[in-house]
Amino acid sequence: MINKHILIIELNEQNFTVLETVLEKAGYDCKAILDVDAFQNLELKADDFDLIIVNSHVQYVGVDDVLKLAAFDTALKIPVIYIDSAKEHSKKMLDECFSAGVSDYIKKPFDSKEITARVNYHCEQLYKMREYKLRVDKLANLATIDQLSKSTSKMHMQAILKHQINYFHRYKTDTTLIYLSLLNIDKLIGTFGLEKGEKVISSFAKVLKASIRESDVLARWAGSDFIILLTNTSVNASEHITKKLKSELSNVEVLKGIKPDLAFGITSFNENDDVRDVIERAKYALTEAKKQTYGKIHIV
């Protein structure tokens, strides 16, 4: 959004007041920087300012310092306008500003309508860039995060697995995959409805995520099926982790008076594996685990 906040770096209070008077009429709120101490003590936060205006005759701060300040958020640079009050037009200063990446350059005396129009233009361009960044970030989030469980998405997990398999082939580090399923979800959906079933999956995923190690990667693979990637972990260690995990999760109420019925398939990365091989083997292990009356943990 356009916050209508402008940072003005000036020589003195009088010059600042002239600019402030013009821009306030257009609805802008202006903050003054009048000396090197004020500039050095300035701490910007994202979206604090929509524009920076600088008097080209300010000696206490250089063009590069101003542009560094404007680019504190590496994703979006705040536009910078330099105002030249010299009687003779300074081509050297003009070239320095535009070479460094200044957005605009205005010569005094300026018309109030002109400077307001230029300020509006640059602020609107920044606003459009902020909106674009929000849309891109949202799309990126949708691509990497499963919106129901708030765990890693299947698409992103496939990329992680591909990378981890390549790493395994190179360094031969023990890596395992746990494929687990919430078996009684269909019964719960049939009894309480889809909306309630989705809430169960969401709350179960939250508990599951809190129960695994920080180094493990959790993803919702399909429906109420999840996979957990365990790096630097042997099959024996994974079996121990799975038993502990099953013990903890089996005592959690997914609905009042109802606890999860769980099955776990475990497999390790092997030579010449690709993502499909690992997933299919883990899925087979899960299928075998579902056949068990007790335990419901199977290793392939």
Side-chain angles (χ1 to χ4, degrees):
M1 62 174 291
I2 302 178
N3 298 315
K4 292 214 162 188
H5 297 324
I6 297 179
L7 182 68
I8 299 177
I9 302 174
E10 260 294 355
L11 293 167
N12 52 56
E13 187 73 37
Q14 183 179 354
N15 286 357
F16 168 74
T17 302
V18 171
L19 273 173
E20 183 184 34
T21 301
V22 171
L23 295 172
E24 276 187 340
K25 291 178 181 178
Y28 289 98
D29 176 52
C30 302
K31 177 181 173 63
I33 295 292
L34 304 177
D35 56 54
V36 66
D37 290 336
F39 182 82
Q40 290 178 346
N41 292 328
L42 184 66
E43 294 183 4
L44 290 190
K45 297 177 183 177
D47 301 344
D48 271 358
F49 296 101
D50 298 303
L51 183 71
I52 299 174
I53 297 177
V54 189
N55 187 316
S56 64
H57 294 276
V58 166
Q59 297 295 313
Y60 57 83
V61 59
V63 176
D64 289 340
D65 294 320
V66 174
L67 291 175
K68 185 177 179 181
L69 176 71
F72 83 100
D73 179 356
T74 54
L76 287 174
K77 189 181 81 170
I78 302 170
V80 176
I81 296 177
Y82 264 73
I83 295 181
D84 190 352
S85 58
K87 290 182 180 179
E88 295 294 329
H89 190 72
S90 174
K91 186 176 184 304
K92 181 181 178 182
M93 188 65 194
L94 181 67
D95 290 343
E96 181 185 351
C97 285
F98 283 121
S99 297
V102 169
S103 308
D104 207 345
Y105 195 92
I106 300 173
K107 187 78 174 65
K108 282 186 178 181
F110 54 75
D111 180 78
S112 59
K113 290 183 179 179
E114 178 195 3
I115 194 167
T116 300
R118 293 200 190 189
V119 165
N120 285 340
Y121 170 78
H122 290 293
C123 287
E124 285 169 4
Q125 292 304 304
L126 180 63
Y127 170 72
K128 290 176 182 177
M129 288 301 297
R130 283 175 178 160
E131 286 290 294
Y132 174 74
K133 182 176 181 293
L134 284 172
R135 289 197 296 271
V136 170
D137 288 347
K138 186 176 181 180
L139 287 172
N141 185 60
L142 288 171
T144 59
I145 303 296
D146 177 70
Q147 298 304 299
L148 178 60
S149 66
K150 304 305 179 187
S151 62
T152 303
S153 69
K154 180 176 181 177
M155 183 174 70
H156 190 46
M157 187 58 151
Q158 286 174 324
I160 292 172
L161 285 171
K162 184 177 180 180
H163 170 78
Q164 198 59 45
I165 286 172
N166 290 336
Y167 186 89
F168 167 79
H169 288 157
R170 184 172 182 180
Y171 297 105
K172 312 303 180 189
T173 54
D174 286 335
T175 309
T176 52
L177 197 72
I178 300 172
Y179 199 129
L180 68 119
S181 182
L182 184 59
L183 300 179
N184 50 342
I185 189 65
D186 290 340
K187 184 178 180 181
L188 293 175
I189 290 174
T191 304
F192 300 103
L194 179 60
E195 184 178 349
K196 186 70 73 173
E198 288 182 339
K199 286 182 179 179
V200 167
I201 293 172
S202 178
S203 60
F204 173 75
K206 187 176 181 180
V207 175
L208 176 57
K209 190 172 183 179
S211 301
I212 63 177
R213 305 173 303 180
E214 287 188 13
S215 59
D216 300 333
V217 184
L218 171 68
R220 186 166 79 100
W221 198 250
S224 60
D225 291 354
F226 294 83
I227 63 173
I228 307 170
L229 175 66
L230 299 89
T231 56
N232 298 311
T233 309
S234 67
V235 170
N236 288 338
S238 290
E239 183 180 15
H240 175 75
I241 290 169
T242 302
K243 287 179 178 178
K244 183 181 177 183
L245 192 60
K246 186 176 188 300
S247 177
E248 291 176 3
L249 295 173
S250 296
N251 290 316
V252 175
E253 289 191 348
V254 290
L255 286 175
K256 189 174 181 180
I258 300 175
K259 295 180 180 180
D261 182 15
L262 301 168
F264 298 79
I266 305 171
T267 193
S268 60
F269 285 15
N270 295 331
E271 198 69 38
N272 301 320
D273 269 346
D274 58 20
V275 173
R276 183 177 179 180
D277 294 330
V278 175
I279 292 296
E280 288 301 316
R281 205 163 52 246
K283 190 182 291 186
Y284 173 77
L286 175 66
T287 301
E288 293 300 305
K290 289 178 181 179
K291 298 176 183 178
Q292 299 174 14
T293 305
Y294 304 103
K296 295 185 179 177
I297 296 174
H298 190 80
I299 300 172
V300 174

